[in-house]
Amino acid sequence: MTLEKLAVRMESLRLTQTAAVLGELAQASAVDKETPLEFLERVLEAEYSGREERRIATSLKLSGLPRGMRLEDFDYLFQPAVERDRIEYLGTGDFLAKTENVLFFGPPGVGKTHLSVGLGVRAVELGYSVSYYTAEELLAHLKRRAEVPVSKQRRQNYVKNALVIVDELGYQQLDRQETHLFFQFVAARYLRGSTIITSNRSVKDWVAVFAGDHAATTAILDRLLHKAQIFQIDGRSYRLRHYETLLNKGAPND
Ligand code: ADP
Ligand code: MG
């Protein structure tokens, strides 16, 4: 078979990453004096890694995850309130298989969004389906379909995905309808998928966030906390780290 014919055959087998570069791969293989099996490995590895790269890029785009926040870039020395080994456990993805939830509490700038997004990116890399919303965005989605119970909305990403991240819960107070929709959302995901929530308000303030509704707040917390990893990040704001002396908030940086 000529190279062109081989490429056509590979295309029909959907080996799209390597069909166009088969000639180069064969040349490199000859230079390295590879055995046939080594050459096959070279081709298959190129095909596989090319596909993985594309899959991850596409999934990241669909997830709505903001860019530029990876677990690998988190500075644990700056934020000792975050236990590295607990985050690294989450980074293995085991919590997703167990449908555990993760809650990050703390004031602005301590890394709640960074850690959530970092875990989301890791989950995508591991092959899980992920969606990221701010609480405001999620509520807007839920309100658009308010007449259908959330548990029946099986095709919606916020129901079916393995991981849903809800960032910034508590910046805005929810009204009664929003509280009810949020409860339905939590109930629909309960034991079916993992949810990560970040909040600047501690659990004892959640009644105020959820329209003063004690019953709904308890029902929400009951399901969220049943299997949950909780992080209370009381620490310095990474955003304000260069202004701490100015703000007289704590030890100066460096
Ligand atoms: P929060 O969500 O708690 O308000 P963010 O996660 O948005 O805080 O953090 C604010 C900014 O600081 C982001 O750009 C984030 O990437 C960065 N950041 C926060 N904490 C750390 C850290 N410990 N190491 C590296 N970057 C951090
Ligand atoms: Mg944030």
Side-chain angles (χ1 to χ4, degrees):
M1 260 191 187
T2 64
L3 202 56
E4 287 91 87
K5 271 190 178 168
L6 269 175
V8 170
R9 178 57 50 81
M10 286 173 75
E11 288 282 356
S12 67
L13 288 168
R14 308 247 180 286
L15 298 169
T16 50
Q17 305 294 317
T18 38
V21 290
L22 186 63
E24 292 162 40
L25 291 175
Q27 263 174 15
S29 178
V31 170
D32 293 349
K33 298 193 171 45
E34 284 182 346
T35 65
L37 277 183
E38 283 167 344
F39 173 59
L40 185 61
E41 182 183 347
R42 183 188 285 259
V43 174
L44 292 184
E45 281 307 309
E47 182 66 35
Y48 179 77
S49 54
R51 268 191 213 188
E52 272 293 283
E53 246 170 64
R54 273 182 52 179
R55 177 189 67 76
I56 290 169
T58 308
S59 303
L60 284 177
K61 226 178 246 161
L62 293 174
S63 70
L65 284 161
R67 304 187 139 266
M69 291 185 240
R70 300 180 58 87
L71 283 187
E72 290 85 346
D73 308 326
F74 194 78
D75 182 350
Y76 293 91
L77 291 177
F78 178 84
Q79 203 59 273
V82 176
E83 301 101 321
R84 186 185 194 130
D85 53 341
R86 289 183 66 206
I87 298 294
E88 278 173 359
Y89 159 73
L90 296 174
T92 64
D94 283 1
F95 80 105
L96 296 161
K98 297 191 208 157
T99 66
E100 288 179 323
N101 299 321
V102 185
L103 282 81
F104 290 108
F105 295 101
V110 295
K112 302 183 299 298
T113 298
H114 189 120
L115 289 168
S116 314
V117 171
L119 288 172
V121 172
R122 180 65 61 79
V124 165
E125 288 168 353
L126 290 170
Y128 289 97
S129 52
V130 179
S131 289
Y132 168 95
Y133 307 91
T134 62
E136 200 179 349
E137 287 164 353
L138 176 68
L139 286 166
H141 282 291
L142 294 174
K143 279 194 224 175
R144 230 171 279 144
R145 296 187 185 75
E147 71 292 348
V148 185
V150 179
S151 60
K152 295 265 162 63
Q153 301 179 27
R154 294 206 184 90
R155 297 221 309 260
Q156 299 305 319
N157 289 336
Y158 48 76
V159 174
K160 69 170 198 235
N161 279 358
L163 175 61
V164 173
I165 299 170
V166 185
D167 200 8
E168 302 183 349
L169 184 69
Y171 274 100
Q172 280 179 317
Q173 297 192 358
L174 281 61
D175 63 24
R176 288 236 162 212
Q177 186 216 10
E178 291 167 335
T179 295
H180 184 63
L181 289 170
F182 193 80
F183 163 72
Q184 284 191 27
F185 159 75
V186 169
R189 295 196 58 72
Y190 180 59
L191 303 182
R192 290 200 193 96
S194 294
T195 308
I196 297 181
I197 292 183
T198 81
S199 182
N200 61 326
R201 311 282 297 269
S202 69
V203 165
K204 68 173 166 37
D205 296 335
W206 276 25
V207 176
V209 171
F210 292 119
D213 187 334
H214 283 271
T217 307
T218 307
I220 288 167
L221 284 172
D222 185 65
R223 282 160 184 79
L224 276 182
L225 300 181
H226 174 209
K227 289 199 287 181
Q229 301 269 344
I230 297 164
F231 291 82
Q232 180 67 49
I233 313 175
D234 288 316
R236 299 153 63 196
S237 167
Y238 196 84
R239 288 196 195 94
L240 299 179
R241 65 196 183 284
H242 302 307
Y243 304 97
E244 281 173 340
T245 35
L246 212 95
L247 294 164
N248 199 17
K249 270 187 73 169
N253 197 28
D254 304 328

